Short mmCIF file of all heavy atoms in Angstrom, two decimals:
data_model
loop_
_atom_site.label_atom_id
_atom_site.label_comp_id
_atom_site.label_asym_id
_atom_site.label_seq_id
_atom_site.Cartn_x
_atom_site.Cartn_y
_atom_site.Cartn_z
N GLY A 109 102.99 104.86 129.59
CA GLY A 109 102.83 104.99 131.04
C GLY A 109 104.05 104.38 131.71
O GLY A 109 104.69 103.48 131.18
N SER A 110 104.39 104.88 132.91
CA SER A 110 105.61 104.38 133.53
C SER A 110 105.44 102.97 134.08
O SER A 110 106.40 102.20 134.16
CB SER A 110 106.09 105.33 134.62
OG SER A 110 105.16 105.42 135.65
N LYS A 111 104.21 102.57 134.45
CA LYS A 111 104.00 101.22 134.97
C LYS A 111 104.44 100.17 133.95
O LYS A 111 105.08 99.18 134.29
CB LYS A 111 102.52 101.04 135.31
CG LYS A 111 102.18 99.71 135.93
CD LYS A 111 100.69 99.63 136.26
CE LYS A 111 100.35 98.33 136.95
NZ LYS A 111 98.88 98.24 137.21
N TYR A 135 105.21 100.53 145.72
CA TYR A 135 104.24 100.55 144.62
C TYR A 135 104.22 99.15 143.99
O TYR A 135 105.28 98.60 143.68
CB TYR A 135 104.69 101.61 143.60
CG TYR A 135 103.83 101.73 142.37
CD1 TYR A 135 102.52 102.20 142.46
CD2 TYR A 135 104.32 101.39 141.12
CE1 TYR A 135 101.74 102.31 141.33
CE2 TYR A 135 103.55 101.51 139.99
CZ TYR A 135 102.25 101.96 140.10
OH TYR A 135 101.47 102.07 138.97
N ASN A 181 111.85 104.47 145.23
CA ASN A 181 110.93 105.54 144.83
C ASN A 181 110.78 106.60 145.94
O ASN A 181 110.23 106.32 146.98
CB ASN A 181 109.58 104.86 144.47
CG ASN A 181 108.34 105.70 144.66
OD1 ASN A 181 107.46 105.35 145.44
ND2 ASN A 181 108.24 106.80 143.97
N ASN A 185 105.47 106.61 147.22
CA ASN A 185 104.13 106.05 147.28
C ASN A 185 104.30 104.66 147.90
O ASN A 185 105.08 103.88 147.37
CB ASN A 185 103.56 105.95 145.85
CG ASN A 185 102.20 105.32 145.81
OD1 ASN A 185 101.56 105.11 146.82
ND2 ASN A 185 101.74 104.99 144.60
N ASP A 213 111.99 105.36 140.62
CA ASP A 213 110.69 105.80 140.12
C ASP A 213 110.43 107.21 140.67
O ASP A 213 110.14 107.37 141.85
CB ASP A 213 109.63 104.79 140.62
CG ASP A 213 108.24 105.08 140.08
OD1 ASP A 213 108.04 106.14 139.47
OD2 ASP A 213 107.36 104.22 140.30
N CYS A 215 108.02 109.30 140.06
CA CYS A 215 106.66 109.58 139.63
C CYS A 215 106.12 110.91 140.21
O CYS A 215 105.31 111.58 139.59
CB CYS A 215 105.84 108.40 140.12
SG CYS A 215 104.13 108.52 139.89
N TYR A 216 106.59 111.27 141.41
CA TYR A 216 106.08 112.49 142.06
C TYR A 216 107.11 113.61 142.01
O TYR A 216 107.27 114.38 142.96
CB TYR A 216 105.64 112.16 143.50
CG TYR A 216 104.52 111.17 143.47
CD1 TYR A 216 104.74 109.81 143.63
CD2 TYR A 216 103.23 111.59 143.14
CE1 TYR A 216 103.72 108.89 143.50
CE2 TYR A 216 102.20 110.67 143.02
CZ TYR A 216 102.46 109.33 143.19
OH TYR A 216 101.44 108.43 143.05
N THR A 244 106.32 109.91 134.94
CA THR A 244 104.99 109.78 134.36
C THR A 244 104.37 111.16 134.20
O THR A 244 104.68 112.08 134.96
CB THR A 244 104.08 108.92 135.25
OG1 THR A 244 102.78 108.87 134.66
CG2 THR A 244 103.95 109.47 136.66
N SER A 246 101.07 111.18 134.30
CA SER A 246 99.74 110.88 134.85
C SER A 246 99.36 111.79 136.00
O SER A 246 98.23 112.27 136.08
CB SER A 246 99.69 109.44 135.36
OG SER A 246 99.89 108.53 134.30
N LYS A 247 100.29 111.99 136.92
CA LYS A 247 99.93 112.64 138.18
C LYS A 247 99.99 114.17 138.05
O LYS A 247 99.00 114.85 138.27
CB LYS A 247 100.85 112.16 139.31
CG LYS A 247 101.00 110.63 139.37
CD LYS A 247 99.73 109.93 139.84
CE LYS A 247 99.68 108.44 139.54
NZ LYS A 247 100.66 107.59 140.18
N ARG A 255 98.12 107.53 129.24
CA ARG A 255 99.21 106.55 129.29
C ARG A 255 100.49 107.09 128.69
O ARG A 255 100.95 106.63 127.62
CB ARG A 255 98.81 105.21 128.61
CG ARG A 255 97.46 104.65 129.01
CD ARG A 255 97.26 104.53 130.50
NE ARG A 255 98.30 103.78 131.17
CZ ARG A 255 98.94 104.23 132.25
NH1 ARG A 255 98.65 105.38 132.80
NH2 ARG A 255 99.88 103.50 132.79
C1 PLP B 501 100.94 106.28 139.79
C2 PLP B 501 102.29 105.67 139.85
C3 PLP B 501 102.89 105.12 138.71
C4 PLP B 501 102.10 104.88 137.44
O1 PLP B 501 102.26 105.80 136.50
P1 PLP B 501 101.69 105.58 135.04
O2 PLP B 501 102.61 106.40 134.22
O3 PLP B 501 100.29 106.10 135.04
O4 PLP B 501 101.77 104.13 134.67
C5 PLP B 501 104.19 104.66 138.80
N1 PLP B 501 104.85 104.71 139.96
C6 PLP B 501 104.31 105.20 141.08
C7 PLP B 501 105.10 105.23 142.34
C8 PLP B 501 103.01 105.69 141.06
O5 PLP B 501 102.47 106.15 142.19
#
Side-chain angles (χ1 to χ4, degrees):
S110 63
K111 183 179 183 183
Y135 178 67
N181 152 241
N185 177 11
D213 184 351
C215 174
Y216 298 96
T244 178
S246 297
K247 312 289 163 64
R255 312 308 306 129

